[in-house]
Amino acid sequence: MTDTEPAPAVRETAEAIATMEIRGAATIASAAAEALAEQAEAAAEADATASDPEAFRASLRAAGRTLRETRPTAVSLPNALRYVLQRMEGETVDALRDSVVDASDAFVRQLDRAQDDLGEVGANRLADGDTVMTHCHSTDALACIEAAVEQGKSISAVVKETRPRQQGHITAEALREMGVPVTLIVDSAARRYLDEVDHVVVGADSIAADGGVINKIGTSGLAVNARERGVPIMTAAQTIKLHPETLTGHTVEIEMRDEAEVIESEAREAIGEVAVENPAFDVTPPRYMDAIVTEHGQFPPESIVTLMRELFGEGAAEPWAEQ
Ligand SMILES: O=C(COP(=O)(O)O)[C@H](O)[C@H](O)COP(=O)(O)O
């Protein structure tokens, strides 16, 4: 390991995030924080960094950049890096290492607590006997359903498959394990089933300052259909999903993934020369979302900017940048 080369654990985590072995915004955030702690442990042992605090800091920033470059849309990733790297302090390598490991532990603990707290808030929007519809796999959305079940409410679910990666299968299994009866449907059947649904519950990868919800592709169409059918829709999103850069007018970059996720090579060849696109996320305008449920309570999307200013001020530091 040279002074700026990431530790193997960081490279492995970055690779697992890029290939979606580690996926979902909250899971990505805690994996990134843990990878920084592993970088700190490795750098405190490595020849090039063990006795040079500045080289140690540079190696942590480099690890941050490697992790940052994996997936562009989920803001929980840079927010996790911000949390840990802004708390890196000390005059010696040992002190620096301890500060990074402690910050990483605190971040992961906070994440778990936030998910439990938002689950309670979201559960209060669900009534005994409700059927919910889900899209993709969101641990924040599942926390709301799980808390409702723990409150003794009887909940059933209609689970959208979520092409192309079929994360709906993960949701279906998780709900079944909670004892929730599940009906799995293809995405294009969603509008038909909305008539049988009392609430739509989705997660988020990022929330923009205008209250726009960036989540798995298909969320915006589902939200428009839900509004048209009169079915309430909530986004369950911890505050690490709030996108501080959008306070200053920046837009959220939507990840475009490989066409191989959409179509198998044989079918691709048979079709011939056509374009295939695979956007991973879309933006649901705030007017189609009834509530954003966070660990600080629920908010109409248009008022989320107040919470963002409270938590982030106006700035979005990049403590991983080269100095
Ligand atoms: O869109 C996805 C996952 O997309 P991908 O599978 O492409 O990562 C999830 O709804 C959010 O990340 C929220 O998840 P969580 O609530 O667990 O943070």
Side-chain angles (χ1 to χ4, degrees):
M1 198 171 83
T2 67
D3 57 348
T4 53
E5 201 178 302
V10 171
R11 286 202 304 273
E12 278 158 28
T13 301
E15 172 74 9
I17 294 173
T19 58
M20 290 175 62
E21 198 186 312
I22 295 174
R23 46 147 302 280
T27 310
I28 289 171
S30 64
E34 282 165 358
L36 287 181
E38 296 198 57
Q39 174 72 29
E41 302 279 15
E45 302 289 324
D47 289 346
T49 42
S51 55
D52 181 346
E54 205 27 66
F56 178 97
R57 287 173 184 275
S59 88
L60 263 291
R61 289 196 295 270
R65 291 194 295 279
T66 299
L67 293 161
R68 174 73 190 96
E69 281 155 17
T70 53
R71 292 194 77 187
T73 304
V75 73
S76 57
L77 174 55
N79 281 347
L81 303 176
R82 255 179 215 118
Y83 184 99
V84 176
L85 293 178
Q86 282 174 341
R87 285 164 180 76
M88 172 164 70
E89 57 186 17
E91 301 301 319
T92 64
V93 165
D94 280 352
L96 286 164
R97 179 204 51 213
D98 290 350
S99 69
V100 170
V101 171
D102 289 351
S104 166
D105 286 351
F107 180 81
V108 173
R109 274 199 310 275
Q110 211 169 292
L111 213 61
D112 288 345
R113 213 171 29 237
Q115 196 163 74
D116 290 347
D117 290 350
L118 85 74
E120 293 296 325
V121 178
N124 292 335
R125 292 181 61 87
L126 302 177
D128 188 24
D130 271 2
T131 299
V132 297
M133 181 178 281
T134 63
H135 183 61
C136 198
H137 170 253
S138 157
T139 55
D140 284 352
L142 285 175
C144 300
I145 301 171
E146 187 163 31
V149 170
E150 279 166 7
Q151 287 172 357
K153 292 171 184 164
S154 156
I155 306 286
S156 342
V158 175
V159 171
K160 289 179 76 228
E161 173 185 50
T162 318
R163 278 272 293 155
R165 297 284 294 236
Q166 299 178 320
Q167 293 96 326
H169 294 186
I170 311 171
T171 301
E173 191 181 347
L175 288 169
R176 182 192 44 77
E177 281 169 3
M178 282 177 212
V180 170
V182 169
T183 305
L184 183 69
I185 59 167
V186 295
D187 294 305
S188 41
R191 185 164 176 275
R192 175 193 163 109
Y193 281 87
L194 277 169
D195 288 337
E196 298 170 21
V197 160
D198 303 288
H199 221 115
V200 178
V201 187
V202 296
D205 290 84
S206 292
I207 308 271
D210 69 356
V213 171
I214 296 92
N215 191 46
K216 180 55 54 188
I217 190 82
T219 305
S220 64
L222 175 61
V224 171
N225 280 333
R227 176 58 49 85
E228 186 258 342
R229 303 318 286 168
V231 181
I233 173 165
M234 66 165 139
T235 293
Q238 307 177 43
T239 52
I240 51 149
K241 316 280 183 68
L242 301 179
H243 206 304
E245 284 154 57
T246 60
L247 280 165
T248 44
H250 291 81
T251 50
V252 177
E253 183 186 344
I254 300 292
E255 175 182 3
M256 300 296 286
R257 295 188 62 84
D258 200 287
E259 65 173 40
E261 292 183 341
V262 175
I263 187 163
E264 283 169 10
S265 56
E266 226 175 276
R268 179 78 179 91
E269 266 169 44
I271 293 173
E273 267 310 299
V274 297
V276 178
E277 294 204 346
N278 183 16
F281 302 100
D282 65 19
V283 185
T284 302
R287 65 183 177 281
Y288 293 112
M289 192 57 70
D290 290 282
I292 298 176
V293 170
T294 78
E295 72 274 22
H296 293 291
Q298 60 168 347
F299 297 83
E302 290 82 359
S303 73
I304 204 75
V305 63
T306 315
L307 182 63
M308 286 175 82
R309 288 219 167 87
E310 229 172 78
L311 295 173
F312 300 109
E314 285 293 340
E318 296 202 346
W320 51 83
E322 264 174 296
Q323 289 180 355

